[in-house]
Amino acid sequence: MAPILRVSIAYLAYFSAVGAASPYLFLYYSHLGLGLAEIGALAAISAAIGLLVSPAWGALADQYAQTRLTLPLAALVAIGGALILATGHDLVQIGAGVVVLAAGLGGLG
């Protein structure tokens, strides 16, 4: 399979998953008992973390251009954040999951 085709399939899968999950994430927060202000703060924190870590992931990928481990590492970080988010029950745990997930997704995007 051509490398461009593999990358295209990977990004199609990534953006499909993010597009399918993101509208329901806020409903999940609401189901956990969080209020609108807390949900809004989590959304803002997620966006801010993504804005800050995306250039760091890019610099890491540029620094270690000879290896292909940057993308899988970002995926592992995102998976870790999703697991924290899925098992969290209070605002602190959910906030930690949001931060880790956003940090990982920043490297994938």
Side-chain angles (χ1 to χ4, degrees), residues 9-106:
I9 291 170
Y11 275 96
L12 177 67
Y14 168 72
F15 285 110
S16 295
V18 170
S22 61
Y24 297 104
L25 195 56
F26 304 112
L27 292 174
Y28 175 68
Y29 297 154
S30 177
H31 175 73
L32 292 175
L34 300 180
L36 292 178
E38 295 165 328
I39 294 171
L42 289 173
I45 289 169
S46 177
I49 294 296
L51 182 69
L52 294 173
V53 301
S54 292
W57 279 110
L60 185 68
D62 290 342
Q63 181 69 29
Y64 299 102
Q66 70 279 3
T67 183
R68 294 183 180 189
L69 294 178
T70 309
L71 194 60
L73 179 62
L76 286 175
V77 171
I79 289 168
L83 289 173
I84 295 168
L85 192 59
T87 59
H89 298 294
D90 65 356
L91 184 59
V92 173
Q93 294 170 342
I94 295 167
V98 166
V99 168
V100 175
L101 178 63
L105 291 178

